[in-house]
């Protein structure tokens, strides 16, 4: 069975917003898709990896004419792709060469909070650095790094502070999946920007409390990109790195593709589809089979009716690999009977956004949960219909989606997730457990909603050290 419709409530799609900024096809000449380089470790041993990550300013020739002033990690815009190997201890030297305070948040890594996690309690001031170390103990996935200073996460991400990171493990490596990075395995970071005078971005001028958007699609930091296809099958690791925009993906000819992974793991089984909606901060991995095309053909990836990325078909060897029926066994630990369902509400829109009726406060712990225990969380989007879809994200954990308003989750969210989008009026029940302790944020990933206060934080208590005190900042 092939899924040929988008999930979620159509009435809540972002194009119904009053402030919606439609995407427009760029009029600039096509350019090769930027493939972020793999960041070289400073050192790697059998057990440890060492990286230096520098947040820096830069400028990039995005449009004809003046270069655009941008920010990035080890690169002028976005960043190099970081590779983490499961089982290894990672040592990071985090350096801030920006003119303002920032943080380095690992979205999707299950690592202790609030310092290693890199949320708002782990500032790195201009000209300074911070060293952190953590062990990678989670399945293969495509995760990401982004700035997370409160309340200017949205503005810093808009400047370009977002980069992909790949977690590798032996299980994923044993499967017949494309993984030749840059050739048949490519990150596709979906964003949008508005170019003002002299090709500059102007976050403040474009500000919208429901999320900043621009009309120009920017893919891996490329405007109007194409990719040269030299293998029959290509694995695309989509990341919605936009502040607000949903992307409703589909290909020309309604080309069928196969989703193999979501945020934090492979899916239990491959899912065939022709349409895929991705919301802010989610990752969706697909394999596209270009077998029916011939050299010279062009296959286009669209969001709604706007082209995002063109695949130019070249000569390739036939590829007869068959995907295994089972890709992954999603962990499904039993819920702890002593822990009642925890309720979270995502409230309001615009400046009125809140969580459980309250605005985020950096030095307030909103909830406590024991490490290692498993609990159901019921997340409700209280927006009256038509409302908007809020992508709900939790730091430091990988959760399992249990139900949507009592019904089964969508077929492509049966793996591990860190972000789940919620329709207006919907209750999504997720199963939550932590294997690391500390203070973690959870929030809507429309970044302006998060900065605007649709965010809270929990303390995960390590039974071996229940009285551990954390230093919580109250401003940055
Ligand atoms: Cu993408 Cu609070 O994170
Ligand atoms: Cu995160
Ligand atoms: Cu929201």
């Amino acid at each position: 069975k092939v899924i040929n419709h988008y999930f979620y409530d159509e009435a809540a799609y972002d194009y119904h917003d009053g402030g919606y900024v439609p995407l427009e096809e760029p009029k600039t000449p096509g350019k090769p898709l930027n493939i972020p380089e793999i960041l070289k470790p400073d050192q790697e041993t059998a057990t440890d990896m060492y990286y230096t990550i520098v947040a820096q300013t830069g400028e990039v020739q995005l449009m004809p004419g003046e270069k655009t002033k941008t920010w990035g990690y080890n690169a002028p815009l976005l960043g190099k792709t970081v590779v983490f190997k499961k089982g290894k201890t990672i040592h990071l030297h985090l350096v801030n060469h920006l003119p303002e305070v920032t943080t380095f948040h690992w979205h999707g890594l299950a690592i202790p909070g609030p310092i290693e996690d890199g949320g708002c309690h782990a500032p790195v001031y201009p000209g300074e650095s911070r060293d952190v170390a953590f062990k990678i103990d989670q399945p293969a996935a495509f995760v990401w790094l982004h700035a997370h200073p409160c309340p200017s996460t949205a503005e810093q991400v808009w400047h370009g502070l977002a980069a992909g990171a790949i977690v590798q493990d032996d299980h994923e490596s044993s499967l017949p999946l494309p993984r030749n990075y840059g050739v048949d395995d490519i990150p596709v970071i979906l964003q949008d920007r508005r170019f003002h005078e002299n090709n500059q971005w102007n976050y403040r001028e474009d500000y919208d409390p429901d999320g900043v958007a621009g009309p120009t699609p920017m893919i891996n930091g490329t405007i109007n990109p194409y990719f040269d296809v030299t293998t029959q099958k290509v694995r695309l690791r989509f990341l919605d790195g936009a502040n607000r925009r949903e992307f409703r993906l589909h290909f020309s000819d309604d080309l069928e593709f196969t989703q193999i992974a979501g945020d934090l793991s492979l899916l239990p089984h491959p899912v065939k589809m022709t349409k895929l909606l991705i919301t802010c901060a989610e990752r969706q991995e697909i394999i596209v089979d270009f077998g029916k095309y011939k050299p010279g053909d062009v296959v286009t990836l669209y969001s709604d009716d706007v082209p995002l990325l063109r695949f130019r078909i070249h000569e390739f060897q036939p590829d007869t690999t068959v995907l295994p029926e089972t890709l992954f066994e999603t962990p499904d630990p039993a819920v702890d009977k002593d822990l009642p369902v925890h309720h979270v509400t995502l409230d309001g829109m615009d400046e009125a956004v809140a969580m459980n009726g309250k605005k985020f406060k950096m030095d307030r712990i909103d909830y406590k949960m024991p490490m290692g225990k498993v609990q159901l969380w019921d997340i409700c989007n209280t927006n009256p219909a038509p409302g908007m879809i809020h992508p709900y994200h939790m730091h430091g954990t990988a959760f399992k989606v249990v139900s949507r308003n009592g019904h089964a989750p969508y077929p492509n969210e049966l793996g591990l997730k860190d972000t789940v989008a919620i329709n207006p009026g919907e209750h999504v029940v997720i199963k939550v457990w932590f294997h690391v302790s500390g203070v973690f944020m959870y929030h809507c990933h429309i970044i302006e909603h998060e900065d605007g206060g649709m965010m809270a934080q929990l303390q995960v208590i390590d039974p071996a050290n229940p009285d551990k005190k954390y230093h919580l900042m109250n401003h940055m």
Side-chain angles (χ1 to χ4, degrees):
K1 198 174 121 249
V2 180
I3 291 160
N4 55 17
H5 62 278
Y6 295 115
F7 299 128
Y8 304 100
D9 296 348
E10 194 279 339
Y13 287 1
D14 57 1
Y15 54 65
H16 292 293
D17 284 0
Y20 182 67
V21 178
L23 282 180
E24 291 165 20
E25 180 173 0
K27 294 192 180 59
T28 56
K31 280 209 219 168
L33 177 70
N34 172 49
I35 306 290
E37 269 174 56
I38 299 276
L39 181 66
K40 286 194 190 55
D42 302 329
Q43 195 195 334
E44 180 171 3
T45 68
T47 53
D48 297 69
M49 303 177 87
Y50 299 79
Y51 286 110
T52 299
I53 300 194
V54 183
Q56 60 188 61
T57 62
E59 45 176 30
V60 182
Q61 191 79 58
L62 290 174
M63 304 283 268
E66 265 189 55
K67 289 186 175 171
T68 305
K69 294 196 169 47
T70 54
W71 290 5
Y73 295 113
N74 304 84
L77 171 58
L78 302 180
K80 295 192 180 162
T81 302
V82 191
V83 173
F84 295 124
K85 294 179 186 157
K86 183 178 174 183
K88 290 208 182 190
T89 298
I90 312 296
H91 306 258
L92 300 176
H93 182 53
L94 307 167
V95 183
N96 181 0
H97 284 169
L98 301 170
E100 60 187 75
V101 61
T102 191
T103 78
F104 298 74
H105 170 53
W106 296 96
H107 180 126
L109 289 190
I111 54 176
I115 302 301
E116 293 86 338
D117 171 73
C120 64
H121 303 296
V124 184
Y125 294 96
E128 297 186 0
S129 67
R130 176 188 286 279
D131 293 283
V132 295
F134 48 81
K135 186 160 182 183
I136 296 290
D137 182 18
Q138 63 185 92
F142 185 46
V143 301
W144 58 306
L145 163 65
H146 66 77
H148 213 316
C150 297
S152 35
T153 299
E155 184 166 9
Q156 291 201 354
V157 172
W158 190 263
H159 283 319
L161 291 183
I166 294 174
V167 177
Q168 299 176 337
D169 73 4
D170 292 342
H171 168 67
E172 189 275 341
S173 307
S174 74
L175 298 175
L177 301 173
R179 66 173 70 74
N180 188 357
Y181 183 85
V183 177
D184 63 7
D185 177 358
I186 61 171
V188 182
I189 305 176
L190 304 164
Q191 297 176 309
D192 56 317
R193 291 293 183 271
R194 182 182 293 282
F195 289 86
H196 292 265
E197 225 181 304
N198 303 320
N199 292 335
Q200 301 310 307
W201 298 335
N202 191 332
Y203 181 79
R204 305 269 159 107
E205 201 173 313
D206 294 335
Y207 184 72
D208 177 335
D210 272 334
V212 172
T216 306
M218 181 170 84
I219 317 299
N220 291 356
T222 315
I223 308 301
N224 202 11
Y226 61 81
F227 179 76
D228 286 317
V229 173
T230 57
T231 57
Q232 181 177 330
K233 293 178 187 168
V234 177
R235 173 184 190 169
L236 304 176
R237 300 177 188 250
F238 291 121
L239 156 63
D240 184 338
N243 284 39
R244 192 273 170 270
R245 188 176 297 279
E246 298 148 13
F247 291 86
R248 280 165 293 272
L249 303 173
H250 61 102
F251 291 89
S252 41
D253 306 330
D254 267 326
L255 179 64
E256 188 183 303
F257 52 89
T258 306
Q259 185 167 351
I260 56 162
D263 301 334
L264 286 182
S265 77
L266 293 162
L267 298 179
H269 310 285
V271 179
K272 292 195 167 124
M273 45 178 62
T274 59
K275 292 191 160 66
L276 174 61
L277 190 157
I278 184 168
T279 66
C280 298
E282 280 189 303
R283 284 88 65 212
Q284 315 273 16
E285 272 180 50
I286 66 167
I287 293 180
V288 192
D289 183 342
F290 293 104
K292 67 175 180 185
Y293 295 97
K294 53 178 196 325
D297 288 349
V298 174
V299 178
T300 304
L301 172 71
Y302 293 90
S303 181
D304 297 330
D305 55 358
V306 177
L308 301 179
L309 173 55
R310 289 189 172 81
F311 293 87
R312 308 197 310 192
I313 310 297
H314 296 260
E315 216 59 77
F316 51 69
Q317 297 297 313
D319 177 348
T320 53
T321 6
V322 181
L323 275 177
E325 240 332 287
T326 298
L327 296 169
F328 182 70
E329 302 245 8
T330 308
D332 194 16
V335 171
D336 198 284
K337 284 178 204 64
D338 300 334
L339 294 178
V341 177
H342 181 54
H343 290 266
V344 172
T345 62
L346 311 176
D347 310 314
M349 290 190 234
D350 283 311
E351 276 95 353
V353 290
M355 192 176 265
N356 286 351
K358 286 184 265 188
K359 291 236 180 237
F360 179 69
K361 235 178 136 260
M362 287 175 73
D363 55 2
R364 185 184 68 219
I365 298 287
D366 297 276
Y367 189 64
K368 292 187 179 174
M369 181 179 171
M371 186 172 88
K373 298 271 165 99
V374 184
Q375 185 177 31
L376 294 178
W377 285 44
D378 177 322
I379 321 299
C380 177
N381 174 350
T382 61
N383 286 179
M388 52 196 298
I389 299 169
H390 296 288
Y392 170 79
H393 167 56
M394 295 183 82
H395 288 212
T397 185
F399 56 75
K400 186 176 187 299
V401 184
V402 175
S403 64
R404 290 185 172 272
N405 273 351
H407 299 286
Y410 300 136
N412 68 342
E413 56 187 11
L414 301 178
L416 294 171
K417 298 273 291 167
D418 59 53
T419 305
V420 62
I422 306 183
N423 291 298
E426 192 175 34
H427 287 263
V428 173
V429 176
I430 60 176
K431 203 178 257 195
V432 179
W433 66 98
F434 283 83
H435 66 251
V436 289
S437 62
V439 173
F440 299 97
M441 307 155 100
Y442 48 104
H443 55 84
C444 176
H445 219 292
I446 290 175
I447 312 181
E448 284 72 12
H449 282 181
E450 150 190 349
D451 284 341
M454 192 184 272
M455 176 154 74
Q457 55 195 353
L458 83 156
Q459 183 174 343
V460 175
I461 298 180
D462 178 355
N465 190 2
D467 298 319
K468 180 157 180 195
K469 292 275 169 289
Y470 295 94
H471 173 66
L472 300 185
M473 319 266 307
N474 54 22
H475 70 282
M476 301 219 59

